[in-house]
């Protein structure tokens, strides 16, 4: 298995989900006691959030680029930025290393297209919902992207930073997100992209009348697919045969 490099900590709540999913999916694919080969560089999110709020994206990008260089030096064969918002600096991070970067928006768009959908709602931080770095990437795959109205965007953003990033999950916020999702569906959304890695801590399929696209889970699955080779599948078959005696 190739080694997966994780640029995490934004927030660590969702990075923990990445780690869990990568290992569960690897065990699912290979069986037995197999787990994911991965290395993690976890940044201080308070530092990154200050740079985001100040619009100092190039500086934030250099922090992540430094993390990418450290992961490459540690033996990572592919990289994940474990946050949707910081894909704003994905090109800067990718340019810092020779290791391929698996772009979260691309894996999400591929899942939406595979489901046969063309118009999706997008929930995320204000940066993700309002700026073009993410919406434009989805649109580049032929998708029409809808975002909530201004009050809805403010609510979604506030819950992410003031609750979910701190590990706080409130039923009132789940109900509010359901209303935002219903509004997107009423405007024609055929599915909804959970475009912030923390949102999956709050809402799931039961909270939406249309399919949800959980970006953390999709990104993790794509990473495991990219990390495994035909030889890995053969190893799993050999292990199964040994287990059977």
């Amino acid at each position: 298995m190739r080694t997966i490099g994780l640029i995490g900590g934004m927030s660590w709540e969702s990075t923990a989900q990445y780690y869990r999913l990568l290992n569960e999916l690897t065990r699912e694919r290979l069986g037995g006691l197999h787990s994911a080969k991965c290395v993690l560089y976890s940044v201080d999110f308070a530092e990154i959030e200050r740079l985001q709020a100040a619009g100092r994206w190039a500086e934030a990008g250099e922090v992540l680029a430094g993390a990418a260089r450290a992961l490459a030096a540690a033996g990572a064969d592919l990289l994940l930025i474990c946050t949707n918002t910081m894909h704003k600096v994905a090109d800067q991070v990718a340019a810092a290393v020779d290791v391929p970067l698996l772009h979260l928006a691309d894996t999400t768009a591929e899942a939406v297209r595979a489901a046969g959908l063309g118009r999706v709602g997008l929930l995320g931080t204000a940066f993700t919902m309002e700026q073009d770095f993410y919406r434009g990437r989805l649109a580049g795959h032929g998708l029409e992207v809808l975002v909530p109205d201004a009050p809805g965007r403010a609510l979604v953003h506030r819950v992410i930073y003031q609750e979910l990033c701190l590990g706080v999950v409130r039923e009132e916020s789940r109900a509010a997100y359901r209303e935002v999702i219903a509004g997107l569906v009423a405007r024609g959304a055929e599915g909804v992209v959970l475009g912030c890695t923390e949102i999956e801590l709050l809402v799931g399929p039961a909270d939406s009348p249309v399919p949800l696209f959980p970006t953390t889970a999709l990104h993790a699955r794509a990473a495991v697919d990219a990390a495994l080779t035909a030889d890995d599948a053969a190893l799993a078959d050999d292990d199964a045969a040994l287990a059977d005696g």
Side-chain angles (χ1 to χ4, degrees):
M1 184 176 187
R2 297 178 181 88
T3 300
I4 302 168
L6 306 171
I7 304 175
M10 301 165 283
S11 67
W12 72 259
E13 297 282 349
S14 62
T15 301
Q17 298 302 312
Y18 266 94
Y19 184 73
R20 177 181 61 80
L21 288 165
L22 289 172
N23 284 289
E24 287 179 350
L25 291 165
T26 300
R27 183 176 59 195
E28 176 185 300
R29 289 281 297 274
L30 299 182
L33 297 176
H34 287 288
S35 56
K37 291 179 63 177
C38 58
V39 288
L40 167 65
Y41 191 112
S42 190
V43 304
D44 179 1
F45 190 33
E47 175 187 357
I48 299 298
E49 190 276 333
R50 284 194 296 269
L51 294 173
Q52 290 175 342
R56 295 159 59 185
W57 293 99
E59 293 176 56
E62 184 50 41
V63 174
L64 269 60
R69 287 189 285 266
L71 289 170
D77 298 304
L78 65 145
L79 296 179
L80 308 183
I81 301 175
C82 301
T83 157
N84 287 269
T85 297
M86 292 310 296
H87 276 72
K88 182 175 173 69
V89 299
D91 290 344
Q92 184 178 351
V93 174
V97 291
D98 293 328
V99 178
L101 175 70
L102 189 61
H103 199 290
L104 197 158
D106 291 341
T107 63
T108 300
E110 289 165 8
V112 174
R113 298 298 296 178
L117 307 184
R119 182 187 299 113
V120 291
L122 172 63
L123 302 181
T125 67
F127 309 111
T128 300
M129 292 185 289
E130 296 173 0
Q131 299 182 23
D132 192 56
F133 70 91
Y134 198 90
R135 294 170 57 179
R137 190 90 175 199
L138 295 177
H141 287 267
L143 299 177
E144 181 182 349
V145 182
L146 307 176
V147 297
D149 59 16
R153 295 196 302 273
L155 180 145
V156 170
H157 181 89
R158 178 188 60 76
V159 169
I160 290 169
Y161 278 92
Q162 296 182 19
E163 297 177 19
L164 300 179
C165 286
L166 299 174
V168 177
V169 177
R170 300 174 65 241
E171 285 300 322
E172 297 90 337
S173 296
R174 180 176 289 113
Y177 266 54
R178 286 173 174 166
E179 291 184 10
V180 173
I181 290 170
L184 291 169
V185 173
R187 291 166 50 200
E190 301 166 324
V192 175
V193 172
L194 304 183
C196 176
T197 52
E198 284 81 19
I199 294 178
E200 289 158 67
L201 302 173
L202 181 65
V203 298
D207 300 302
S208 173
V210 297
L212 296 179
F213 293 89
T215 56
T216 302
L218 293 170
H219 207 200
R221 184 172 293 278
V224 171
D225 288 344
L228 292 176
T229 66
D231 290 340
D232 296 315
L235 175 62
D237 290 340
D238 289 344
D239 287 349
L242 288 171
D244 290 340

